[in-house]
């Protein structure tokens, strides 16, 4: 995506395979992660966030999400059973962010 001041625009999604040993966890396949990084750099963009679901839970960062976070300004899009929410990780915590969708 692209950062524009305090806003960010998602321009592409790159699915990643789950290589975690347990079905209730997600560990991104490094091959998919590096492919997304290469694609972003080739198009003059950046990997600005990640997305995942909590299929049996709420659209809110879990303790596991917090433990896996580390890059300030990184956007986390989380789908729960009935909702979709965006969060920004900053200085050790998640803050809910406005999510605006557009087809253009």
């Amino acid at each position: 995506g692209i950062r524009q001041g305090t806003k960010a625009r998602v321009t592409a999604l790159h699915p990643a395979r789950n290589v975690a040993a347990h079905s209730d966890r997600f560990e991104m396949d490094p091959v998919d992660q590096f492919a997304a990084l290469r694609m972003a750099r080739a198009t003059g963009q950046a990997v600005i966030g990640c997305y995942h679901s909590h299929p049996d839970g709420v659209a809110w960062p879990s303790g596991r999400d917090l433990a896996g976070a580390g890059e300030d300004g990184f956007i986390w899009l989380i789908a729960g059973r009935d909702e979709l929410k965006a969060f920004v990780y900053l200085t050790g915590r998640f803050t809910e962010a406005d999510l605006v969708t557009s087809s253009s």
Side-chain angles (χ1 to χ4, degrees), residues 24-39:
D24 67 338
R25 293 192 171 86
F26 186 83
E27 183 180 332
M28 189 182 309
D29 187 325
V31 171
D32 297 334
Q33 186 174 11
F34 285 114
L37 286 167
R38 282 192 299 277
M39 179 65 75

Side-chain angles (χ1 to χ4, degrees), residues 18-27 52-57 62-65:
N18 186 2
V19 295
H22 302 283
S23 63
D24 67 338
R25 293 192 171 86
F26 186 83
E27 183 180 332
H52 69 282
S53 65
H54 295 171
D56 296 324
S62 68
R64 224 176 259 134
D65 292 336

